Amino acid sequence: MISLPKIEHPIYKIKIPSIGKDHSFRPFLVKEEKLLLMAKESNNNNDIFISIKQVINNCSLDSNLNIDKLSIFDLEYIFLRLRAFSVDNIVKISYRDYEDDELYDFEVELDKVEVKFPENKNNVIKINENTGIIMKYPSASLYSDEDFLNLEKEHLFKLIVKCIDKIYYGEEVYDAKDIKQSELEEFLENLSVGVFKEVNDFLKNVPKLEYVIKYTNKKGSEREIYLNSLNDFFTWR
């Protein structure tokens, strides 16, 4: 019986934005492309999120890299880099200008997409002199958390609960993963409006993808388009 040769694939290094370290990945292959196509055909955003995470997990060559512990912006950035060296570095997008109502076509170079970090990043929210909350960025585990993805209400509140890393009281530090979700929810509900706003603001200012397109429309106005999520780069549906 004939044995077919094993196909060797190049190895690429991708620097993970949140930790600043390089990790090894292979390109995604036909089997990963099929995952993405099936998810796209389902017309379900949840399926798309799950397939993106699965593709990245398949392509990772570092056994010590836990995809679930990465941030969502890490996952999005890795996927763009994988897409760049697996398929094509160029993505074509169209944008309708609301001023002149013209449709403009652009080519986006994926290797020039960066992750923009907020200038004042502080993940410690003080409740009073002795008590506070240590927050973390939304994790990639949310991409396969179907209970969360299928929420119909209180989406932001549930996201905040999942982004609590620790709660401290004096010298005591409590890890959120050791606390029941119902207790965390009750804890948040008893915060002052001002403190809760600070928690909310933390999530509004998480790092995100950034690619800026500059052009002049037919009326002579200088325009800028900010792309900052995977949906801005690809048409999934």
Side-chain angles (χ1 to χ4, degrees):
M1 189 170 181
I2 298 174
S3 296
L4 292 174
K6 289 187 176 181
I7 301 174
E8 294 186 358
H9 303 286
I11 297 173
Y12 296 91
K13 294 287 187 181
I14 299 177
K15 181 172 286 187
I16 311 298
S18 67
I19 58 179
K21 293 183 179 180
D22 288 338
H23 283 272
S24 299
F25 293 85
R26 64 160 172 80
F28 61 72
L29 312 175
V30 171
K31 56 186 176 182
E32 280 84 39
E33 184 76 0
K34 285 172 65 178
L35 283 174
L36 295 170
L37 287 173
M38 286 189 292
K40 182 178 179 179
E41 289 171 359
S42 74
N43 284 328
N44 186 307
N45 282 335
N46 295 359
D47 290 343
I48 292 168
F49 294 149
I50 292 169
S51 67
I52 287 172
K53 183 183 168 188
Q54 184 62 56
V55 166
I56 293 172
N57 200 53
N58 288 0
C59 296
S60 173
L61 300 178
D62 290 340
S63 58
N64 62 340
L65 180 63
N66 188 333
I67 302 298
D68 276 333
K69 290 187 176 181
L70 298 179
S71 300
I72 285 179
F73 62 85
D74 288 323
L75 210 66
E76 294 184 328
Y77 179 78
I78 294 169
F79 182 76
L80 287 185
R81 299 299 300 125
L82 283 175
R83 169 59 167 72
F85 54 65
S86 301
V87 183
D88 191 347
N89 183 48
I90 301 297
V91 171
K92 295 180 180 181
I93 66 168
S94 297
Y95 174 78
R96 186 169 296 280
D97 190 295
Y98 65 83
E99 184 182 33
D100 63 9
D101 200 36
E102 292 285 340
L103 190 66
Y104 293 87
D105 296 320
F106 303 99
E107 290 189 346
V108 176
E109 297 177 69
L110 294 180
D111 61 1
K112 292 186 178 178
V113 178
E114 299 178 343
V115 172
K116 181 75 172 179
F117 284 80
E119 292 183 5
N120 301 313
K121 51 179 183 178
N122 182 17
N123 66 329
V124 180
I125 312 296
K126 286 188 176 182
I127 298 173
N128 54 45
E129 287 300 316
N130 298 312
T131 310
I133 305 171
I134 301 173
M135 301 292 294
K136 61 184 178 181
Y137 295 130
S139 75
S141 62
L142 292 177
Y143 265 26
S144 53
D145 186 339
E146 295 194 46
D147 289 337
F148 177 76
L149 294 174
N150 289 320
L151 282 174
E152 294 182 359
K153 59 181 180 178
E154 292 192 316
H155 188 274
L156 177 60
F157 186 80
K158 297 291 186 181
L159 177 61
I160 290 173
V161 171
K162 291 182 177 295
C163 291
I164 296 175
D165 188 22
K166 295 177 176 61
I167 295 172
Y168 68 86
Y169 178 71
E171 296 183 358
E172 296 290 329
V173 180
Y174 306 94
D175 201 313
K177 70 176 186 293
D178 298 326
I179 305 171
K180 291 182 180 179
Q181 181 167 319
S182 59
E183 293 179 9
L184 290 173
E185 291 177 2
E186 183 179 357
F187 181 83
L188 286 176
E189 288 172 346
N190 283 288
L191 293 177
S192 70
V193 174
V195 171
F196 188 77
K197 182 180 180 302
E198 288 186 53
V199 174
N200 197 4
D201 287 345
F202 171 81
L203 286 182
K204 287 182 179 178
N205 292 289
V206 298
K208 57 181 60 122
L209 302 175
E210 182 173 278
Y211 186 93
V212 184
I213 297 173
K214 297 182 179 182
Y215 72 101
T216 301
N217 69 13
K218 291 188 176 180
K219 291 195 172 184
S221 300
E222 294 183 355
R223 317 291 278 172
E224 291 185 350
I225 305 171
Y226 286 84
L227 309 181
N228 51 38
S229 74
L230 286 183
N231 284 335
D232 293 337
F233 295 92
F234 304 107
T235 302
W236 299 110
R237 300 172 70 173

